[in-house]
Amino acid sequence: QVQLVESGGGLVQSGGSLRLSCAASGGAFSSGTMAWFRQGPGKEREFVSAITVSEGRVVYADSVKGRFIISREIAKNTAYLEMYSLKPEDTAVYYCAGRDDTIMYQVATFYNYWGQGTQVTVSS
């Protein structure tokens, strides 16, 4: 059973940066897709970014394009989300998600594995 554990959330001022990590265990990390979703207060869970672990193909939501960078380190079974120029509207619980193939869906229901989430709060 694949387990995902996020870390790196916190409180940051507007314009600041954070790096989230997602450590995977218990599965074939190198053959799938890793993604980040977020859920703000009173909002539905929304897609942020995804990466195919073996090839490194990436996709971003328009709201974070040019500010966030997704990456992975296969040797460490870890995916990252570097967030720059953070805005108050980026405040959310950020979730790491995974699936076993290389289709980068942008809908949460297509992901089989989920982390517990990490809180990111951006103050104005």
Side-chain angles (χ1 to χ4, degrees):
Q1 181 70 19
V2 174
Q3 292 187 324
L4 304 177
V5 179
E6 303 99 333
S7 61
L11 173 64
V12 63
Q13 289 188 334
S14 182
S17 60
L18 281 174
R19 187 179 80 158
L20 306 182
S21 299
C22 173
S25 61
F29 176 78
S30 61
S31 61
T33 297
M34 300 297 292
W36 290 93
F37 287 79
R38 67 185 182 186
Q39 189 164 13
K43 298 181 180 180
E44 294 187 354
R45 193 167 298 191
E46 65 172 351
F47 173 79
V48 175
S49 183
I51 185 168
T52 59
V53 177
S54 59
E55 301 170 332
R57 291 183 292 117
V58 301
V59 63
Y60 297 96
D62 287 344
S63 59
V64 306
K65 201 172 294 182
R67 299 189 299 122
F68 290 12
I69 300 172
I70 191 171
S71 62
R72 85 285 189 228
E73 191 168 357
I74 297 174
K76 293 187 176 181
N77 284 357
T78 300
Y80 303 97
L81 185 69
E82 297 173 69
M83 306 183 293
Y84 300 95
S85 301
L86 283 162
K87 306 173 182 180
E89 51 263 45
D90 294 317
T91 294
V93 177
Y94 282 71
Y95 296 91
C96 177
R99 54 179 289 114
D100 293 321
D101 58 26
T102 56
I103 303 174
M104 294 187 289
Y105 288 107
Q106 299 186 26
V107 178
T109 52
F110 287 105
Y111 287 82
N112 309 105
Y113 313 113
W114 289 89
Q116 81 288 351
T118 185
Q119 177 71 46
V120 171
T121 302
V122 184
S123 63
S124 57

